[in-house]
Amino acid sequence: MALTASAAVVLIDWHDGLVHSPLLPIHIGALLAVSGSAVAARALHDRDLRELTQVRAVSEAAQRVLLRPIPHTLGSLRIASMYRAATAHALVGGDLYAAVRSGRTTRFLIGDVRGKGLPAVEDASALLGAFREAAHEHETLPKLAASLERSVRRHLAEMSGRDPNSAERFITALLVEIPDAEETVRVMSCGHPPPLLRRRGGVTRLCVDRPAPPLGLAGSTAEEFPSHTFAFFPGDTLLLYTDGLVEARDAAGTFYPVLERAATWAWCCPHSLLQHISRDLDSYAGQHLDDDLAMVAVHCPAHASDSPEAAA
């Protein structure tokens, strides 16, 4: 482009009769100087872009290791998960989810770390690692929750040397257990929003009577973590979520009406359900989330004898 522009300058100066004047080398010199600056700036930009691309690739790989995708099927359950970070270009923030297959039982964890930034990611990483290990070691949800509480407290104690406010950090969490041989779901809440259950066209909240305090502030014995059992029949769908869903606001500042909107969601497929919720949330809040959002949809397929075709 610089050479083409220089040739054009020569033609213009020749047309104006300036070929033998001292203006021609001045024009060409100024043009080459500007072109050289542009080429150098572009080279620096390309170098920075390559470095940024590499950093993003490493960051995305690290975040995917931290927040592993949940398999689409665990046992007889069909599952879908979604994470939307409030921070641009981030894949992981202070929200978390995980699923573990232990024997003939599927266990789920969803949680929300207090705070944002790297401290929140550190706390989420500590809880996820503890859950993936302890979910295979403890027979009941209360024992599992007590183990997670001890792990979170050890982590926060280690962080106290670097963060004087570590005593104010905690994690709301919801533990869910679905046995293969029972038509039930066991729920244990540590200050976390209750899940939604959809059954035969109706949607209800699975509210627990005695939620435990958030992890980091709770007790360390299993007796301090009561679990609650609900019916979970073939054809039912369970939605786990963080407060990024219920605390989303529209332009007038009104919170997202979860139960009202749930009646319009497509619950037939877990993946379609999460996609529908995400689009509906963008429509309501104007595609802007002030908080991270994590969701896990769990569907128990109906038996063949329960299908409309079989009934007919």
Side-chain angles (χ1 to χ4, degrees):
M1 292 298 296
L3 293 175
T4 303
S6 298
V9 166
V10 172
L11 290 176
I12 293 173
D13 284 354
W14 176 79
H15 180 271
D16 292 341
L18 301 176
V19 174
H20 302 291
S21 70
L23 291 178
L24 179 61
I26 293 176
H27 289 170
I28 295 178
L31 180 63
L32 291 177
V34 173
S35 300
S37 300
V39 170
R42 177 68 190 203
L44 293 174
H45 173 271
D46 289 347
R47 185 196 66 182
D48 293 342
L49 184 60
R50 287 192 297 271
E51 292 180 355
L52 178 61
T53 301
Q54 293 174 354
V55 169
R56 283 183 178 176
V58 173
S59 175
E60 289 180 3
Q63 292 178 97
R64 288 194 178 97
V65 170
L66 171 62
L67 196 64
R68 303 173 190 170
I70 297 179
H72 295 306
T73 58
L74 284 174
S76 61
L77 302 174
R78 295 169 56 195
I79 305 166
S81 59
M82 176 181 289
Y83 192 99
R84 293 184 54 177
T87 304
H89 307 299
L91 299 180
V92 175
D95 290 4
L96 57 100
Y97 57 72
V100 170
R101 182 75 177 160
S102 179
R104 295 183 57 79
T105 300
T106 306
R107 286 174 168 174
F108 297 90
L109 166 70
I110 190 166
D112 187 359
V113 178
R114 178 186 180 272
K116 297 181 180 180
L118 288 179
V121 175
E122 289 179 342
D123 294 350
S125 175
L127 179 57
L128 286 171
F131 172 76
R132 289 167 183 149
E133 182 66 24
H136 299 281
E137 303 295 331
H138 301 281
E139 297 179 356
T140 64
L141 285 186
K143 291 181 179 180
L144 173 58
S147 175
L148 296 180
E149 171 65 21
R150 293 190 292 269
S151 297
V152 170
R153 288 197 178 189
R154 285 193 298 268
H155 164 72
L156 295 179
E158 293 174 358
M159 295 296 103
S160 61
R162 291 186 297 166
D163 183 8
N165 297 322
S166 62
E168 301 177 2
R169 289 157 66 171
F170 58 83
I171 307 173
T172 68
L174 189 75
L175 291 170
V176 175
E177 179 180 79
I178 303 177
D180 292 350
E182 304 175 22
E183 294 182 344
T184 60
V185 55
R186 301 186 186 100
V187 178
M188 206 223 64
S189 174
C190 296
H192 197 80
L196 298 182
L197 176 67
R198 193 257 191 179
R199 175 179 299 144
R200 297 177 182 175
V203 180
T204 58
R205 283 192 177 102
L206 299 186
C207 297
V208 300
D209 297 331
R210 295 171 51 206
L215 297 177
L217 304 176
S220 57
T221 62
E223 291 73 17
E224 299 177 77
F225 294 93
S227 65
H228 300 72
T229 302
F230 302 91
F232 190 62
F233 300 118
D236 291 354
T237 301
L238 193 67
L239 176 65
L240 317 178
Y241 56 92
T242 58
D243 58 7
L245 178 66
V246 294
E247 293 182 358
R249 299 170 183 258
D250 61 6
T254 306
F255 288 113
Y256 184 74
V258 176
L259 286 180
E260 288 182 20
R261 296 280 182 153
T264 66
W265 297 343
W267 291 80
C268 55
C269 168
H271 178 74
S272 300
L273 171 62
L274 298 189
Q275 294 293 330
H276 187 98
I277 295 174
S278 181
R279 291 192 298 267
D280 190 47
L281 198 61
D282 286 339
S283 175
Y284 186 85
Q287 297 187 345
H288 175 70
L289 296 180
D290 294 327
D291 196 4
D292 297 337
L293 171 62
M295 296 184 292
V296 177
V298 184
H299 177 69
C300 180
H303 301 310
S305 59
D306 296 334
S307 65
E309 293 80 0

